[in-house]
Amino acid sequence: MKLEDLRKIREKAEKELKLREGKARVKIVVGMGTSGIAAGAREVLKAFIDEIEKRNLQDVIVTQSGEKGLSSHEPIAEVWEEGKPVVVYGNLTPDIARRIVAEHIVNGNPVTEYVIEVKEA
Amino acid sequence: MPKRLDILVCSGAACISNDSTTIKNKLQAVLKEHNLEDEVAIVETGCMGPCELGPVMLVYPDGVFYIRLKEGDVEEIVKEHVIKGRPVKRLQWTTPEARKIVEEKKQIPFFEKQLKIVLSNCGKIDPENIEEYIAVGGYEALAKVLTEMTPEQVIDEMIKSGLRGRGGAGFPTGLKWKATREAPGDEKFVVCNGDEGDPGAFMDRAILEGDPHSVIEGMAIAAYAIGAKQGYVYVRAEYPLAIKRLEKAIQQARKYGLLGNNIFETSFSFDIEIRIGAGAFVCGEETALIASIEGKRGQPRPKPPFPAQKGLWGKPTLINNVETFANVRHIILNGSSWFASIGTENSKGTKVFALSGKVNNTGLVEVPMGVTIRELVFDIGGGIPNGKKFKAVQIGGPSGGCVPAEYLDTPIDYESLKKLGTIMGSGGVIVLDEDTCMVNLAKFFLDFTVDESCGQCVPCRIGLKHLYDILDRITKGKGKMEDLETLEKLGEEIKRTSLCGLGQSAPNPVLSTLRYFRDEYIEHIRDKKCRAGVCQFEEAKEEEVSLEKKLKGII
């Protein structure tokens, strides 16, 4: 083993442990209550995870919460970013989820047409 | 691929005895049933600490902490928490006073007051996966010393850090390394003492089970510093899981080239073998341990020469405890001044304790040196169960002593404990409440040391048996007032004249209870009364009385 090999293994393995650090820059919370799941929240969640993995975003975690109380707008997801208000998206599809990752999380421009609420963190 | 959820199932020995393996298997099956295997990772970790609440489980990223799980709870956790994101409240930890659900692991007082350095990976990474260890900076310290530091610089860092031996006696680690490096000889050895034998102690077991690579890395760094090529880990056979995980870790380290020849393409070569001990308490004494590794009977020999001069097979040998080695990588990576900033003036860093006895949160804890006994027992330990009154803590096992309530605010460090007549020891802390009889407790530890004495020297072999017999008499209501003086005199004599640490410290439980709980001894002798209600006093038997009378007549 060379020094570089150790660094390479570390880089790769760090990703696997990302969840356990609790140090993410961005947290995406997908509403996974019964109505959310019925409206397709699971596919949305998978799309988020997949897109983040594809883009190799190290500091973003995806988690889920229960019912948000806005059943008519399900699937719903919130984007929590340090020091910024929380952006709540509604009526999501997997494609929109991918757009949110690209436009909001990577480039910092929220996908306004799907924003249903902006609230204080 | 990274997952959405990491479910950490505690696989320390305590949780496994509580059937955590069934929980894990069930979890695997239910996740599969719901096609969630790709989204959720199951990680088996080392001990998370709160052992009496086991089996425990920790779900990340939220850090939800589940306790006392049963197989039947798994389905609900998957359906509610994993699928719908609603943590199952009835299974979450509640604090005893508020009965409030403590949602995140870091808010639980048990964890909040702790400072985890040695245990930072225990309960967080999979101990059987070297890549998880590498992910948290594993083997970076070894890489650093091999590529950037001379052995002298490494030893200098260790001396500056102020690290002292965690096995009990508290000898400065850096000085031990220096002495072994400077001892003449071309072949030297590194030995890890994992012969943890105090009743109520399980710190080393937890480290070996939960983070075996940290011990391997610490040993490799030590080997580089003193100039050794071969290391041995001495673990007792009663620790099968620790042995299994360590064995696996050694194999993985070899496979990754972190043990073996020319590590990190340097001239440094080092390998480790495990030696399994049969579980004799005296083998925790370094010279007895060395004899045992050599295949001889595990008996101590007089010192000097110290192992640093003449150790394994007569060669200079460095012996450190498991926890001591586990500290090394943190000192190398963060620097000696960082380490020296933690703790008290003469006791640096943290100490792992195994909390047991009459305390709400039993388990494994790590605190900075200088934390008071009160904080350890009441804040982290959660106080005494069932509204009982705190009586004392027994620290240091059969070599240590009892600290009564009036010294609760004593900071935990090597010197303060010594002043109170006990020792830091390896870290077993047994909490005692009003239902404990102190005479009986002293008898319990003496019973242990009488059994474990190797029999080589007279004070330990015969003296301890005498101490035990006197205590036994007192607990049966047959003591005499002059026994107290005999106990003290004999105890001091055994301490002064025994060959090794076992005998030199074995009278401590008697001497310290006599010092702080003399009243109880007197009550037993004079009033035939045991205030804790533990000792059963026999009526003096007819025959014995008549025998005494007969003897009187003769004399």
Side-chain angles (χ1 to χ4, degrees):
Chain A
M1 151 118 43
K2 292 183 202 161
L3 211 52
E4 306 88 78
D5 300 336
L6 186 75
R7 301 273 144 83
K8 267 183 216 150
I9 298 171
R10 179 174 181 172
E11 256 171 48
K12 189 182 111 228
E14 262 177 344
K15 281 187 223 165
E16 309 272 337
L17 256 67
K18 198 175 65 180
L19 285 182
R20 289 172 237 171
E21 297 296 336
K23 277 191 292 202
R25 178 180 63 91
V26 185
K27 192 163 98 174
I28 303 174
V29 185
V30 183
M32 296 276 279
T34 309
S35 58
I37 292 172
R42 172 156 301 284
E43 284 66 38
V44 170
L45 179 98
K46 281 186 180 163
F48 272 124
I49 294 173
D50 185 53
E51 194 64 25
I52 287 162
E53 167 70 8
K54 263 191 212 154
R55 292 172 179 270
N56 197 15
L57 302 177
Q58 292 294 313
D59 49 1
V60 182
I61 59 168
V62 182
T63 174
Q64 88 285 52
S65 71
E67 215 69 61
K68 291 276 174 211
L70 267 168
S71 305
S72 54
H73 291 285
E74 296 277 13
I76 287 174
E78 299 174 348
V79 176
W80 292 67
E81 222 170 324
E82 241 183 76
K84 290 186 187 172
V86 180
V87 179
V88 186
Y89 287 102
N91 309 309
L92 295 175
T93 64
D95 287 340
I96 302 163
R98 289 179 198 281
R99 267 185 66 197
I100 291 171
V101 174
E103 294 172 27
H104 183 166
I105 291 162
V106 176
N107 295 325
N109 303 316
V111 187
T112 45
E113 62 258 52
Y114 294 98
V115 174
I116 54 173
E117 195 193 355
V118 177
K119 59 181 187 184
E120 285 309 309
Chain B
M1 185 192 143
K3 313 282 181 174
R4 171 168 73 83
L5 284 177
D6 278 1
I7 302 184
L8 277 54
V9 183
C10 181
S11 300
C15 279
I16 287 182
S17 332
N18 265 325
D19 227 4
S20 66
T21 317
T22 315
I23 309 271
K24 191 214 81 190
N25 292 341
K26 176 79 180 173
L27 185 64
Q28 233 158 13
V30 177
L31 287 177
K32 193 167 179 200
E33 215 176 280
H34 292 274
N35 289 318
L36 290 164
E37 300 144 289
D38 297 340
E39 291 175 38
V40 182
I42 301 175
V43 185
E44 287 179 82
T45 72
C47 181
M48 293 185 186
C51 303
E52 104 285 7
L53 300 173
V56 297
M57 187 193 269
L58 181 55
V59 185
Y60 278 113
D62 345 35
V64 172
F65 198 75
Y66 290 123
I67 58 166
R68 294 203 178 97
L69 295 172
K70 303 255 180 319
E71 197 183 351
D73 298 329
V74 173
E75 184 97 34
E76 189 178 347
I77 291 177
V78 172
K79 281 190 173 158
E80 285 297 306
H81 188 166
V82 178
I83 299 180
K84 294 178 186 166
R86 293 192 288 235
V88 183
K89 291 221 160 29
R90 69 174 182 91
L91 299 170
Q92 278 177 268
W93 194 352
T94 56
T95 54
E97 62 281 1
R99 308 306 298 168
K100 187 179 119 237
I101 290 173
V102 192
E103 293 223 344
E104 283 177 46
K105 194 184 163 209
K106 58 173 181 262
Q107 296 169 352
I108 299 171
F110 177 80
F111 293 112
E112 210 187 2
K113 288 253 172 175
Q114 295 192 48
L115 175 63
K116 294 206 174 192
I117 296 173
V118 170
L119 295 180
S120 55
N121 292 335
C122 271
K124 185 178 154 197
I125 63 166
D126 178 354
E128 298 193 16
N129 184 346
I130 191 173
E131 296 207 351
E132 291 209 352
Y133 179 69
I134 292 173
V136 292
Y139 291 105
E140 296 261 338
L142 179 61
K144 185 176 167 187
V145 302
L146 293 185
T147 56
E148 297 169 22
M149 294 168 85
T150 65
E152 288 78 10
Q153 284 172 326
V154 176
I155 290 172
D156 202 39
E157 272 295 276
M158 295 308 291
I159 293 174
K160 280 195 210 144
S161 75
L163 176 67
R164 295 168 66 175
R166 298 296 193 241
F171 190 81
T173 305
L175 293 181
K176 215 177 198 180
W177 290 25
K178 190 163 183 249
T180 321
R181 169 152 194 92
E182 286 169 358
D186 45 7
E187 195 178 19
K188 294 177 185 181
F189 297 104
V190 173
V191 173
C192 173
N193 185 345
D195 192 58
E196 181 175 58
D198 297 3
F202 47 91
M203 298 73 53
D204 296 347
R205 188 192 72 202
I207 295 167
L208 288 172
E209 283 174 9
D211 197 12
H213 286 287
S214 69
V215 180
I216 297 174
E217 189 175 1
M219 287 178 74
I221 292 169
Y224 173 71
I226 67 154
K229 284 198 175 83
Q230 181 64 45
Y232 295 92
V233 184
Y234 190 85
V235 199
R236 45 178 50 210
E238 288 112 285
Y239 284 180
L241 185 65
I243 294 167
K244 184 190 135 205
R245 296 223 172 116
L246 183 64
E247 184 71 62
K248 197 158 185 179
I250 291 172
Q251 282 168 10
Q252 286 180 350
R254 282 187 191 137
K255 196 177 140 209
Y256 280 69
L258 296 161
L259 285 176
N261 289 329
N262 304 101
I263 298 168
F264 290 117
E265 298 180 308
T266 64
S267 59
F268 176 68
S269 303
F270 181 63
D271 206 349
I272 295 176
E273 277 178 43
I274 300 176
R275 284 290 180 271
I276 297 169
F281 184 61
V282 74
C283 287
E285 199 281 336
E286 52 189 12
T287 58
L289 187 149
I290 286 172
S292 179
I293 293 181
E294 290 172 349
K296 298 178 189 140
R297 181 172 176 168
Q299 282 191 329
R301 60 154 178 81
K303 290 187 279 191
F306 291 95
Q309 279 86 41
K310 261 181 179 305
L312 198 54
W313 292 296
K315 313 280 185 185
T317 301
L318 173 77
I319 296 199
N320 280 144
N321 159 271
V322 170
E323 189 183 336
T324 312
F325 279 125
N327 267 297
V328 172
R329 62 175 284 244
H330 298 285
I331 294 170
I332 297 297
L333 286 181
N334 300 312
S336 55
S337 50
W338 162 82
F339 190 82
S341 71
I342 304 163
T344 64
E345 200 188 338
N346 293 311
S347 303
K348 302 298 187 190
T350 60
K351 179 77 193 85
V352 182
F353 289 102
L355 257 188
S356 64
K358 303 292 178 57
V359 62
N360 276 312
N361 305 330
T362 59
L364 195 70
V365 305
E366 182 176 356
V367 290
M369 295 276 191
V371 155
T372 65
I373 298 172
R374 187 188 300 280
E375 286 173 286
L376 185 64
V377 174
F378 289 92
D379 296 344
I380 296 170
I384 317 298
N386 308 321
K388 296 276 183 181
K389 221 175 120 216
F390 171 85
K391 189 171 202 172
V393 282
Q394 208 284 344
I395 302 179
S399 317
C402 291
V403 181
E406 57 262 42
Y407 295 104
L408 266 178
D409 291 310
T410 306
I412 298 176
D413 61 52
Y414 291 98
E415 275 70 31
S416 305
L417 291 177
K418 207 169 173 188
K419 269 187 215 146
L420 294 179
T422 181
I423 57 163
M424 175 78 76
S426 57
V429 174
I430 304 171
V431 182
L432 312 167
D433 70 2
E434 52 192 317
D435 290 342
T436 312
C437 166
M438 302 312 277
V439 186
N440 190 59
L441 179 85
K443 188 176 119 179
F444 166 81
F445 281 113
L446 257 292
D447 187 24
F448 179 84
T449 36
V450 165
D451 263 357
E452 295 291 346
S453 170
C454 80
Q456 213 183 169
C457 71
V458 175
C460 180
R461 182 182 72 230
I462 299 173
L464 292 180
K465 179 75 172 89
H466 264 290
L467 279 185
Y468 175 83
D469 287 344
I470 298 172
L471 290 171
D472 187 51
R473 234 180 24 232
I474 297 175
T475 57
K476 287 177 177 154
K478 292 180 191 166
K480 291 173 271 186
M481 288 306 274
E482 54 268 35
D483 282 344
L484 299 185
E485 214 177 296
T486 315
L487 285 175
E488 274 166 340
K489 196 160 165 266
L490 188 55
E492 290 298 341
E493 207 64 10
I494 296 170
K495 281 180 77 159
R496 212 167 50 80
T497 54
S498 288
L499 170 61
C500 82
L502 196 160
Q504 285 160 12
S505 62
N508 282 345
V510 187
L511 297 175
S512 84
T513 47
L514 263 174
R515 178 168 163 188
Y516 298 117
F517 299 94
R518 208 179 185 87
D519 291 359
E520 287 194 35
Y521 279 84
I522 294 173
E523 277 171 17
H524 277 74
I525 297 169
R526 198 184 53 202
D527 311 331
K528 313 258 178 283
K529 184 183 149 213
C530 174
R531 64 171 85 168
V534 176
C535 301
Q536 302 291 320
F537 299 110
E538 300 165 14
E539 291 299 316
K541 281 179 196 155
E542 197 68 30
E543 291 158 57
E544 279 169 309
V545 174
S546 61
L547 186 70
E548 227 167 64
K549 271 183 187 166
K550 272 180 211 165
L551 283 172
K552 247 182 197 169
I554 294 164
I555 297 160

